[in-house]
Amino acid sequence: MAMPDVHALLGPSSAAMWMACPPSARLGENIEDTGSDYAREGTLAHRIGELFLRKQWEGADIEKELETAVNDPMFSASMYEYMTAYADFVEERMAEAKAKCTDHRIFIEQRISFTDYVPHGFGTSDVVIIADGQMEVIDLKYGSGIPVSAEGNPQMRIYGLGAYLAWSWAYDIQKVRMTIFQPRLDNISSDTMTITDLMEWAEKELKPKAKLAWEGKGDFNPGEKQCKWCKISATCRARAEYQMELAKYDFAPPSTLDESEIANILTRLPAFKAWAEDVEDYARNAAVNLGVHFPGYKVVEGRSNRKYADEAAIADLLCKAGYQETAIYKPKELLGITAMEKLVGKKKLETLAGKHIIKPEGAPTLVPLSDNRPELNTAEKAAEDFAD
């Protein structure tokens, strides 16, 4: 009965965290994960995607379950559209597999185990396709924050490992392709490894780090990626010390810092800000909901804005006083583009009204070189504007 909790401790989805910072797993194991609307939305999208695949490749009757999913408050037209795209993508991969050999196979939402490398390690793969010596593991990600890459991704490698261990007895698998399908960002990322390289990684990298994480040992290794979803990120001393290294600059005026020092601060600022927000959120929740007292701070009633208790009554009184409805009511306003896409569906909105949707030029902003947007020559543009 305790297996789900054990699975959560060293699950594939958190591998980037516990492989980079092994002791973090045990320290956060007893902290409740309350979830979020984003997680619940993602779970619903995965369920709909699974239903589409089971209907297409297993002939399942999904009518009742799909009706339940469509009636969920988290459902939207765009979700249906994105999961249709997911099913279409899997169909494309199956067509590719069929072109290689007639004995191709697809496995949907299959439990996989990798306990020889990760204590009590198991999980569920979204899709596994096997054909002609190659196995492909496809992972659906519904998030729309940042594109997720499959290259060097420990979660995807663990899925690949688990799938290989599950089916290697029946198929001659020489390599594995690990693919992330992220429809809301039009992101498809793949990474291919030979089984020899994958097993070497599992033996030399995964196994020793999983052992440390399971035993609560190893060195703390704070960093932007591994700290992002860590349950103790707000109270972790190692992370605090890591972020407070910025204080060595004493927050001196920028004119006293050279370009390399400023670049170093810019590189660290996103993680520093995230850490500060985590500490603030933790302290607020502890003080308001748990009665914790922090020296020098107290809980007070926050500022609030006035609001109408009864809009209809107020409108009636104002109209009786001689004010016109056109004066007291706002004009009708269209939903924003993101909300409209959720209501209508991204592709359908583009078909119906795409020619009337524009994307103005964004203001110049400073980002790391790893950002995939093309660089602007702002000095040259300024000179052109001045000449004009």
Side-chain angles (χ1 to χ4, degrees):
M1 295 297 291
M3 292 301 283
D5 293 333
V6 171
H7 173 235
L9 180 65
L10 299 181
S13 61
S14 60
M17 180 191 74
W18 54 258
M19 286 189 69
C21 186
S24 63
R26 281 293 181 191
L27 287 175
E29 68 174 319
N30 294 320
I31 299 176
E32 182 183 3
D33 187 356
T34 57
S36 66
D37 285 343
Y38 297 112
R40 286 183 280 274
E41 183 182 44
T43 299
L44 178 63
H46 270 78
R47 181 57 181 151
I48 293 173
E50 178 189 352
L51 290 174
F52 285 172
L53 295 182
R54 291 200 182 281
K55 178 182 179 180
Q56 185 172 8
W57 301 108
E58 297 176 356
D61 182 0
I62 67 170
E63 186 176 346
K64 289 184 179 179
E65 290 185 76
L66 185 59
E67 182 180 357
T68 300
V70 167
N71 289 326
D72 190 292
M74 290 286 180
F75 176 79
S76 66
S78 60
M79 181 182 291
Y80 194 97
E81 183 180 276
Y82 288 131
M83 291 306 95
T84 299
Y86 169 56
D88 290 344
F89 174 74
V90 173
E91 184 175 14
E92 289 175 9
R93 289 302 212 228
M94 281 293 285
E96 179 184 314
K98 184 178 181 180
K100 293 180 178 179
C101 72
T102 57
D103 188 27
H104 57 293
R105 294 286 185 270
I106 182 171
F107 302 92
I108 302 165
E109 293 292 325
Q110 293 291 307
R111 177 63 64 93
I112 54 175
S113 174
F114 36 92
T115 54
D116 287 345
Y117 298 89
V118 178
H120 299 279
F122 59 93
T124 302
S125 61
D126 291 341
V127 174
V128 175
I129 298 173
I130 301 176
D132 192 31
Q134 176 174 289
M135 175 180 68
E136 179 166 25
V137 178
I138 300 175
D139 189 50
L140 168 66
K141 294 195 179 298
Y142 196 66
S144 61
I146 58 173
V148 181
S149 174
E151 294 185 12
N153 189 313
Q155 178 185 11
M156 297 304 299
R157 289 186 176 187
I158 291 175
Y159 281 141
L161 172 67
Y164 172 73
L165 296 174
W167 287 288
S168 60
W169 65 272
Y171 299 94
D172 180 23
I173 302 170
Q174 299 299 319
K175 60 182 179 179
V176 56
R177 179 166 66 181
M178 298 154 287
T179 299
I180 289 173
F181 184 77
Q182 198 172 6
R184 296 170 76 184
L185 292 177
D186 295 323
N187 175 47
I188 300 173
S189 176
S190 292
D191 190 21
T192 301
M193 296 181 73
T194 65
I195 293 302
T196 300
D197 289 343
L198 178 63
M199 298 306 293
E200 182 179 4
W201 172 83
E203 191 66 40
K204 294 182 178 181
E205 293 288 330
L206 177 63
K207 191 173 183 177
K209 290 178 180 177
K211 184 176 185 295
L212 288 173
W214 181 258
E215 296 173 351
K217 298 178 181 179
D219 296 327
F220 286 96
N221 179 31
E224 184 176 357
K225 291 183 179 180
Q226 56 266 39
C227 289
K228 185 174 184 180
W229 304 113
C230 179
K231 293 181 180 180
I232 64 160
S233 60
T235 57
C236 177
R237 184 175 300 279
R239 187 189 184 200
E241 292 173 351
Y242 173 74
Q243 296 303 337
M244 289 307 293
E245 287 179 12
L246 276 180
K248 70 181 180 181
Y249 294 105
D250 294 325
F251 297 98
S255 60
T256 67
L257 303 174
D258 62 32
E259 286 81 357
S260 63
E261 290 174 315
I262 293 175
N264 184 38
I265 293 174
L266 290 173
T267 300
R268 294 284 303 278
L269 272 180
F272 185 86
K273 291 176 181 178
W275 167 71
E277 290 175 0
D278 285 346
V279 173
E280 186 176 32
D281 290 342
Y282 171 83
R284 184 187 302 110
N285 178 68
V288 174
N289 299 318
L290 304 177
V292 177
H293 294 280
F294 295 97
Y297 286 84
K298 62 182 178 180
V299 177
V300 299
E301 183 178 329
R303 291 184 174 87
S304 64
N305 296 321
R306 295 174 300 166
K307 64 179 183 179
Y308 298 126
D310 188 336
E311 292 188 4
I314 291 174
D316 184 58
L317 290 169
L318 291 174
C319 287
K320 288 179 179 177
Y323 292 91
Q324 299 295 316
E325 285 194 358
T326 54
I328 65 173
Y329 280 103
K330 288 182 178 179
K332 288 190 295 185
E333 182 180 353
L334 278 174
L335 291 173
I337 294 176
T338 300
M340 194 69 79
E341 285 180 342
K342 189 172 184 179
L343 174 69
V344 179
K346 185 176 182 179
K347 291 183 179 178
K348 189 172 182 180
L349 181 63
E350 175 64 27
T351 300
L352 293 173
K355 65 180 180 180
H356 299 297
I357 298 174
I358 61 171
K359 190 177 187 299
E361 184 177 296
T365 186
L366 190 64
V367 298
L369 289 174
S370 57
D371 191 289
N372 59 12
R373 286 170 289 185
E375 184 172 10
L376 296 176
N377 189 335
T378 52
E380 182 179 313
K381 187 175 188 302
E384 291 177 356
D385 292 343
F386 182 77
D388 290 341

